[in-house]
Amino acid sequence: QVQLVESGGGSVQAGGSLRLSCAVSGNTDRSYYMAWFRQGPGNEREWVASIDKTDSTMYADSVKGRFTISRDNAKHTLYLQMNSLSPEDTAVYYCAAGGETATSMTAIQALGVATPLVWNYWGQGTQVTVSS
């Protein structure tokens, strides 16, 4: 079991930047595949970016070139650097973890990182609001 706690959300004007953090606690001896999702008002939860156990990254087309996902394993922290923000980025941002077992990795590989169902652990979310 791990616990995930996001921070760093807030309000920013269009064109601005924010860095989100996700602190991981609990069973940190295992390695995890991790991701950021977001959910805007009236929308389904949307995959934003993910980072695998070798630190290889993937991004949704909507954020590619503007957002950067990274991790500091020594600090047990996941980050999302968000630049050139636009009002369309307004959402609650969630970090997620999974892939700590062979079964979990199989689910990720079979269904894809963009499927919320494959992620075993979720944070409570942090609000990001971008004004025009």
Side-chain angles (χ1 to χ4, degrees):
Q1 289 275 353
V2 291
Q3 294 77 45
L4 307 177
V5 178
E6 302 95 335
S7 61
S11 297
V12 64
Q13 289 195 327
S17 298
L18 283 174
R19 188 176 82 154
L20 305 183
S21 299
C22 173
V24 182
S25 61
N27 189 358
T28 57
D29 288 341
R30 289 187 162 184
S31 60
Y32 296 88
Y33 209 134
M34 299 197 71
W36 288 98
F37 282 75
R38 65 186 181 186
Q39 189 166 15
N43 295 334
E44 294 186 351
R45 195 163 294 192
E46 172 193 25
W47 170 73
V48 174
S50 57
I51 184 166
D52 71 12
K53 298 177 185 182
T54 66
D55 289 345
S56 178
T57 59
M58 294 175 61
Y59 297 92
D61 287 343
S62 59
V63 307
K64 199 172 294 183
R66 299 188 300 122
F67 290 12
T68 303
I69 187 172
S70 62
R71 68 201 301 172
D72 185 330
N73 291 323
K75 294 183 178 180
H76 305 301
T77 303
L78 178 73
Y79 301 102
L80 185 68
Q81 177 66 44
M82 305 186 295
N83 299 329
S84 301
L85 285 162
S86 72
E88 289 70 34
D89 296 314
T90 294
V92 177
Y93 283 72
Y94 300 89
C95 67
E100 72 279 19
T101 65
T103 300
S104 180
M105 275 306 303
T106 299
I108 291 175
Q109 291 162 351
L111 300 179
V113 295
T115 305
L117 189 64
V118 305
W119 299 96
N120 296 326
Y121 306 101
W122 292 87
Q124 83 291 345
T126 185
Q127 176 71 47
V128 171
T129 302
V130 185
S131 58
S132 57

